[in-house]
Structures are given as C-alpha cells and as structure tokens.
Amino acid sequence: MCTAIVTGSTGFIGYYVCQRLLDDGFRVIGVDALTDY
C-alpha cells in the first residue's frame, strides 16, 4: 500500500484529492493549518 501526504487537505480541492487517492487504494496523511488567518 502506498502512502500519500496531502497538504491543504481540509480545503475544497484537497478534500477531493484525498478522496480520489483513498478510492485508488492509497493510505492518506492529511496536513493542514486550521488558523483564523
């Protein structure tokens, strides 16, 4: 099983990238900075 690290994973594009990778059999590690800025 391959692993992918996705930055910006809680954003619109990042979410769908993660979803696609999961559907394709990847293990996904999502990284994002949830700040007020």
Side-chain angles (χ1 to χ4, degrees), residues 7-33:
T7 60
S9 57
T10 60
F12 180 79
I13 295 171
Y15 169 81
Y16 286 102
V17 169
C18 290
Q19 193 64 45
R20 177 63 188 263
L21 289 168
L22 289 168
D23 291 343
D24 289 345
F26 282 77
R27 184 176 128 194
V28 175
I29 300 171
V31 179
D32 211 323

